Amino acid sequence: MAAHSLSPSLSRLLFAVKYGSFQSRCCALHSKTQYSTVYNPSEKTFDKILIANRGEIACRVIKTCKKMGIKTVAVHSDVDSSAVHTKMADEAVCVGPAPTNKSYLNMDAIMEAIRATGAQAVHPGYGFLSENKEFARRLEAEGVAFIGPDTHAIQAMGDKIESKLIAKAANVSTIPGFDGVVKTAEEAVKISQEIGYPVMIKASAGGGGKGMRISWNDEETREGFRFSSQEAASSFGDDRLLIEKYIDNPRHIEIQVLADKHGNALWLNERECSIQRRNQKVVEEAPSTFLDPVTRRAMGEQAVQLAKAVQYSSAGTVEFLVDSKKNFFFLEMNTRLQVEHPITECITGLDLVEQMIRVAKGYQLQHKQEDIPINGWAVESRVYAEDPYKSFGLPSIGRLSQYQEPLNLSNVRVDSGIQEGSDISIYYDPMISKLVTYGATRAEALAKMEDALDNYVIRGVTHNIPLLREIITHPHFISGDISTNFLPEVYPDGFKGHQLEVDERRELLASAAALYITAQLRSQKVLGHLRVSSTPVECNHWELCVELGEGLHAMEVTKSGKVYTVEVDGGTVEVSGEWNLASPLLPITINGTHRMLQCLSRDASGRIVLQYLGTSFQLRVLSKLAAELNSFMPEKVPEDTSSILRSPMPGTIVAVSVKPGDTVAAGQEICVIEAMKMQNSLTAVKQAKVKSVHCKPGETVGEGDLLVELE
């Protein structure tokens, strides 16, 4: 095992300065709405805690530990040696190479790190070993506190089959289904037929959307059984599956619970988590627009009943599916800190990490149920390194060449574990950050989220901000008319980005023209003076043409001071701003309305990529003469993709189902790629003969790599 990574000391000192003074990063409207970590010197907890995780959740735990005067130990894989969490911690230990089963899931290496550093307790974060009963058992045997529930609760709630039986016994509403382990694909088909389609196939030990498939017929059940069992084995080391009735068009609403070792338990209100893709949450909010006080209390009381039934102690989450009539059904209990816990902290004022540490040390809860408020509204957007135009988000990898969080705005919190220069790799979850906004009302929180997304600078990887912004501004979302089917219902043909209205198109065209002219005028000067003294007086009138998509838009532009007046498409647009071309953000005013644009790229040929209303648009600004001559340029013939299969994402080839000479039918599986623990089946788009295969199981491929050629 590597020695403690205590150097370079300067790097740690800089991070101590940046993060040592813990601020919640949730700027609240008044003191009651800002969650606080209250350090009581007389309340002894632990001297040193090891965080058995990485990324943003490791950073989140370290911040609270610093506030409580607790030293921290980070663990990391070799590729994470310079990660933010390793620099924030007081000590850092390498526990293995990049693959998770050799590092963050390597119990032997983590146990050795605990012994070597003298850590008294372990916070597991979420994912990895956070719900692994064997890990908790080994810690207990070593006399090390596990900051989470005991092994009995982990086992009982971690097994979806057992948890459902316990929930029934505790008088918690449950979903109809098969209360046993499904062993074969054919048995899965038989059970599904008995329950009645549609059904949900899911991993017994699963969570986070992994190992889950919806099936509407026998063939989908066979395929779902195969993929779910493979994903479950890869993610959790347990391929057992269960099947239950799929509730069509439900809401996914969860209750945060907090319990101690003295029999006290609270419910900390709900979180609305219905906006999902591939059963993974994308946008969450607290509270829910859908629940009334009576339903909220009923769900909260059932959640507490379940927690008490398994003698639960720590923070945990009971998830429910809720139908249109507000009937709710137990889905699962996550025996860990939930990804979306920040929105609960914003509306209750509680630091859940602090509460978990106190409970692990044996202290009683400090609050009663009547003390738990709902102050204001909080919204969380999960910012991922994903391409939202591919199945609402397929992973993207790369290095963050430029990164700037929107913390200049009030009422904004960003939980992240990366910085400019960080790598997003194929080995781990592609989450960049959790962007949280808070307001006295839901409308305030959503407006702040809109601003925060517009001000968030991410370069070097493809990200899902276009999708996030479209979700939070969609009329259905604003009205609260949502379900877990929101994305496929709103975007039945897939996400296409923001669709410009007529006025918006004029705004975008005018902004591009103004930016182009500003750059042209700047290029004529050196240190504020004209390059050549004989150069004519600065021009203030231009005739331009701007390409956007397949359209060519003629316009006339005049400039007066800092204001550009643009005549385009039968309308007039006034654009003004400071026009700092070195800044990634372009705060401008368009017809009196403030907009935040981002110039993603521009070149001397007039090509400009602007991020406008969250979506990136490619434009080309030309002079009138250049536009006329451009019509004579030959067009590039697009590649015929019907006879080739390229990788839609970076990942690892799990299986190749064809060989040269095989005849495949349209829709037939050709190969399977695993990326970030999710398996994706790639199929043929037409009937054809396989000409050549350019991949094999176990190989790592990049986005766009050629996999298979068809004749």
Side-chain angles (χ1 to χ4, degrees), residues 10-23 25 63 66 84 87-88 403 405 407 416-420:
L10 178 60
S11 176
R12 269 200 210 295
L13 177 60
L14 291 173
F15 266 75
V17 170
K18 183 176 181 182
Y19 292 104
S21 175
F22 175 73
Q23 299 295 325
R25 287 191 176 184
K63 290 171 189 174
K66 285 183 179 295
V84 173
K87 297 176 182 178
M88 286 180 65
Y403 183 73
E405 296 172 350
L407 293 173
S416 66
I418 48 89
Q419 61 184 345
E420 195 167 293

Side-chain angles (χ1 to χ4, degrees), residues 420-463:
E420 195 167 293
S422 293
D423 286 315
I424 307 295
S425 74
I426 65 171
Y427 297 108
Y428 311 118
D429 188 273
M431 181 184 286
I432 294 174
S433 73
K434 299 181 304 196
L435 177 62
V436 180
T437 57
Y438 174 85
T441 64
R442 185 171 186 260
E444 283 185 23
L446 289 177
K448 186 62 67 174
M449 180 61 73
E450 192 174 334
D451 288 343
L453 290 169
D454 286 344
N455 280 269
Y456 207 145
V457 178
I458 303 172
R459 306 281 192 275
V461 296
T462 305
H463 55 75

Side-chain angles (χ1 to χ4, degrees), residues 53-303:
N53 216 298
R54 67 179 299 277
E56 65 85 13
I57 190 59
C59 295
R60 167 68 188 89
V61 175
I62 291 170
K63 290 171 189 174
T64 287
C65 288
K66 285 183 179 295
K67 189 69 174 181
M68 296 177 72
I70 301 170
K71 292 189 178 299
T72 55
V73 180
V75 296
H76 64 87
S77 66
D78 55 5
V79 299
D80 271 348
S81 60
S82 297
V84 173
H85 75 285
T86 68
K87 297 176 182 178
M88 286 180 65
D90 298 292
E91 302 173 64
V93 180
C94 182
V95 290
T100 55
N101 64 331
K102 297 179 180 179
S103 52
Y104 296 104
L105 292 174
N106 185 346
M107 276 191 258
D108 290 338
I110 293 174
M111 294 303 298
E112 182 57 34
I114 294 167
R115 298 185 195 104
T117 58
Q120 300 167 322
V122 172
H123 196 300
Y126 55 76
F128 294 135
L129 297 172
S130 63
E131 295 177 282
N132 189 300
K133 60 182 181 295
E134 178 59 26
F135 183 55
R137 189 174 291 118
R138 289 182 65 171
L139 290 175
E140 185 178 10
E142 294 266 346
V144 177
F146 179 72
I147 302 176
D150 62 22
T151 54
H152 165 69
I154 294 174
Q155 160 130 11
M157 292 295 98
D159 187 312
K160 287 185 171 59
I161 297 169
E162 184 178 352
S163 67
K164 189 173 179 180
L165 296 174
I166 293 173
K168 281 184 177 179
N171 294 319
V172 177
S173 303
T174 58
I175 302 171
F178 179 69
D179 298 330
V181 179
V182 184
K183 297 178 181 178
T184 67
E186 291 310 312
E187 183 183 5
V189 169
K190 181 181 177 183
I191 292 169
S192 299
Q193 291 173 343
E194 292 172 354
I195 295 173
Y197 288 110
V199 298
M200 173 71 82
I201 304 168
K202 58 185 181 182
S204 176
K210 296 179 176 67
M212 298 176 68
R213 290 290 190 281
I214 300 168
S215 170
W216 296 80
N217 54 52
D218 293 352
E219 188 57 38
E220 288 184 1
T221 298
R222 293 185 181 93
E223 184 180 84
F225 180 90
R226 176 164 69 98
F227 283 128
S228 292
S229 59
Q230 289 173 355
E231 285 180 6
S234 173
S235 298
F236 315 111
D238 184 344
D239 63 358
R240 292 177 304 143
L241 302 177
L242 63 92
I243 298 178
E244 59 190 18
K245 181 71 176 177
Y246 173 64
I247 299 176
D248 199 11
N249 242 21
R251 286 174 178 262
H252 184 135
I253 300 176
E254 60 191 27
I255 300 292
Q256 175 72 57
V257 295
L258 182 64
D260 62 24
K261 300 178 187 295
H262 304 276
N264 303 305
L266 305 172
W267 49 275
L268 309 182
N269 302 310
E270 80 278 7
R271 294 186 290 257
E272 172 72 73
C273 305
S274 297
I275 307 298
Q276 304 179 3
R277 52 98 176 90
R278 298 191 300 278
N279 299 309
Q280 291 181 308
K281 300 159 190 170
V282 180
V283 176
E284 302 103 343
E285 61 182 307
S288 169
T289 60
F290 189 62
L291 297 190
D292 54 64
V294 173
T295 308
R296 176 179 295 115
R297 175 172 291 278
M299 293 176 70
E301 289 176 348
Q302 286 200 17

Side-chain angles (χ1 to χ4, degrees), residues 499-527:
Q499 303 302 300
L500 295 170
E501 302 288 341
V502 174
D503 288 344
E504 292 172 343
R505 185 173 67 246
R506 288 198 194 101
E507 285 188 9
L508 177 60
L509 294 168
S511 300
L515 179 61
Y516 170 81
I517 293 170
T518 299
Q520 292 292 309
L521 294 176
R522 190 183 72 163
S523 68
Q524 298 173 8
K525 297 179 178 181
V526 175
L527 299 177

Side-chain angles (χ1 to χ4, degrees), residues 636-665:
K636 182 180 178 181
V637 179
E639 180 182 42
D640 179 13
T641 57
S642 64
S643 297
I644 59 173
L645 178 66
R646 294 188 182 276
S647 176
M649 75 201 90
T652 302
I653 301 295
V654 175
V656 179
S657 307
V658 299
K659 61 183 183 299
D662 287 355
T663 299
V664 295

Side-chain angles (χ1 to χ4, degrees), residues 366-627:
Q366 299 169 305
H367 306 280
K368 303 295 183 183
Q369 188 62 57
E370 57 268 22
D371 300 330
I372 306 304
I374 298 181
N375 284 327
W377 213 285
V379 180
E380 176 179 286
S381 292
R382 298 194 188 188
V383 182
Y384 282 106
E386 291 183 338
D387 186 345
Y389 301 97
K390 297 178 179 178
S391 301
F392 300 112
L394 292 184
S396 169
I397 62 172
R399 176 165 294 177
L400 291 167
S401 58
Q402 197 169 14
Y403 183 73
Q404 184 177 308
E405 296 172 350
L407 293 173
N408 58 304
L409 303 176
S410 63
N411 296 349
V412 173
R413 167 180 172 177
V414 183
D415 282 16
S416 66
I418 48 89
Q419 61 184 345
E420 195 167 293
S422 293
D423 286 315
I424 307 295
S425 74
I426 65 171
Y427 297 108
Y428 311 118
D429 188 273
M431 181 184 286
I432 294 174
S433 73
K434 299 181 304 196
L435 177 62
V436 180
T437 57
Y438 174 85
T441 64
R442 185 171 186 260
E444 283 185 23
L446 289 177
K448 186 62 67 174
M449 180 61 73
E450 192 174 334
D451 288 343
L453 290 169
D454 286 344
N455 280 269
Y456 207 145
V457 178
I458 303 172
R459 306 281 192 275
V461 296
T462 305
H463 55 75
N464 68 332
I465 282 179
L467 176 62
L468 295 173
R469 198 183 189 284
E470 286 300 293
I471 290 171
I472 62 126
T473 58
H474 194 280
H476 287 184
F477 183 85
I478 292 173
S479 68
D481 181 17
I482 60 175
S483 73
T484 55
N485 293 321
F486 177 88
L487 289 178
E489 286 178 354
V490 172
Y491 309 106
D493 300 320
F495 180 66
K496 308 295 184 185
H498 183 74
Q499 303 302 300
L500 295 170
E501 302 288 341
V502 174
D503 288 344
E504 292 172 343
R505 185 173 67 246
R506 288 198 194 101
E507 285 188 9
L508 177 60
L509 294 168
S511 300
L515 179 61
Y516 170 81
I517 293 170
T518 299
Q520 292 292 309
L521 294 176
R522 190 183 72 163
S523 68
Q524 298 173 8
K525 297 179 178 181
V526 175
L527 299 177
H529 300 285
L530 294 175
R531 289 179 180 270
V532 182
S533 59
S534 61
T535 303
V537 178
E538 185 176 290
C539 178
N540 63 3
H541 181 269
W542 299 264
E543 290 186 344
L544 302 174
C545 290
V546 180
E547 293 179 353
L548 174 61
E550 297 181 357
L552 184 64
H553 305 265
M555 61 181 65
E556 290 190 13
V557 184
T558 56
K559 181 175 184 289
S560 176
K562 295 181 180 180
V563 179
Y564 292 93
T565 302
V566 184
E567 301 287 340
V568 57
D569 291 351
T572 302
V573 181
E574 286 193 350
V575 184
S576 61
E578 292 301 322
W579 302 106
N580 180 357
L581 301 183
S583 171
L585 296 172
L586 289 174
I588 61 177
T589 301
I590 307 175
N591 286 343
T593 301
H594 175 74
R595 298 282 192 196
M596 182 63 74
L597 275 65
Q598 295 188 33
C599 182
L600 306 184
S601 68
R602 59 185 176 85
D603 60 27
S605 70
R607 297 185 189 278
I608 299 175
V609 180
L610 286 179
Q611 183 174 307
Y612 169 72
L613 301 179
T615 295
S616 299
F617 294 93
Q618 298 186 21
L619 305 101
R620 189 179 183 191
V621 184
L622 301 168
S623 67
K624 187 176 181 181
L625 175 61

